[in-house]
Amino acid sequence: MQLIEATAEDIDTLIDSWYTLASGMADYSEFNELVYESAGEVPEDGFRRLLESENVSNYLVEEDGETIGWVTLQEGEHPSREYTSYTKIVNLLIREAYRNEGYGAAVVSRVKELAREAGCDHLKVSCEWHNQGARRFYRDTGFEEKQVTFVQDLD
């Protein structure tokens, strides 16, 4: 398994991966409701901006030349804390046919290496509270639950 940094040529793959992940999140909260009926309707401009961002990286997860997933990483810092520099896993998707085969854990392991190489001292990740599978996966890969995010409609 390898992580290959995504380029503008991978926009369609990124959109398809994002749409797959986002579609699965819709069941967890009305705030996850999609406005697009298919991946083909999703505009490319947001993904182009992500690829140009200095603190965000997108990687295709590849096995034997086949894209089996995708991960988005964001670097940041908390200058007033003991743990100051972090890498956040913003998105992580392993295609359904490849799940429960160790690829997700391998991605997290590789992300740890990338974070250390970037000088980070900790990893962060968030998932939907009711997504028990994701919560179990992150606990099993060494993360601890730390924070709850709240959301509110402004209408």
Side-chain angles (χ1 to χ4, degrees), residues 36-52:
Y36 306 108
E37 295 293 322
S38 71
E41 295 178 18
V42 178
E44 294 181 1
D45 58 336
F47 290 88
R48 290 193 189 284
R49 283 192 303 275
L50 273 180
L51 289 172
E52 294 169 3

Side-chain angles (χ1 to χ4, degrees), residues 18-36 128 130-131:
W18 172 82
Y19 193 83
T20 299
L21 182 65
S23 296
M25 304 313 289
D27 293 340
Y28 295 107
S29 170
E30 66 184 42
F31 287 95
N32 295 340
E33 187 175 330
L34 296 176
V35 297
Y36 306 108
E128 294 295 324
H130 296 290
N131 187 340

Side-chain angles (χ1 to χ4, degrees), residues 10-11 14 38 41 45 54 72-73 84 87 117 125 131 141 145:
D10 301 310
I11 292 278
L14 294 175
S38 71
E41 295 178 18
D45 58 336
E54 290 193 24
T72 304
L73 306 177
T84 57
T87 293
E117 290 169 10
V125 67
N131 187 340
T141 55
E145 293 176 346

Side-chain angles (χ1 to χ4, degrees), residues 50-90:
L50 273 180
L51 289 172
E52 294 169 3
S53 175
E54 290 193 24
N55 68 333
V56 176
S57 300
N58 284 276
Y59 295 91
L60 303 178
V61 180
E62 291 194 358
E63 179 67 23
D64 296 327
E66 181 180 354
T67 299
I68 64 166
W70 149 76
V71 63
T72 304
L73 306 177
Q74 179 180 26
E75 290 185 13
E77 59 183 67
H78 300 292
S80 62
R81 295 188 181 156
E82 183 71 26
Y83 288 90
T84 57
S85 300
Y86 65 85
T87 293
K88 180 177 182 177
I89 299 172
V90 178

Side-chain angles (χ1 to χ4, degrees), residues 87-148:
T87 293
K88 180 177 182 177
I89 299 172
V90 178
N91 299 302
L92 173 56
L93 171 80
I94 300 298
R95 300 243 177 248
E96 195 166 345
Y98 296 91
R99 291 183 189 160
N100 300 309
E101 295 183 24
Y103 291 111
V107 168
V108 170
S109 180
R110 182 66 181 117
V111 166
K112 286 180 185 178
E113 292 173 16
L114 291 171
R116 285 185 189 110
E117 290 169 10
C120 295
D121 54 24
H122 67 292
L123 291 180
K124 295 173 129 185
V125 67
S126 299
C127 68
E128 294 295 324
W129 183 256
H130 296 290
N131 187 340
Q132 295 301 323
R135 292 177 66 189
R136 183 175 42 258
F137 169 77
Y138 289 120
R139 281 192 303 268
D140 288 351
T141 55
F143 289 89
E144 63 181 70
E145 293 176 346
K146 176 190 169 287
Q147 184 175 11
V148 176

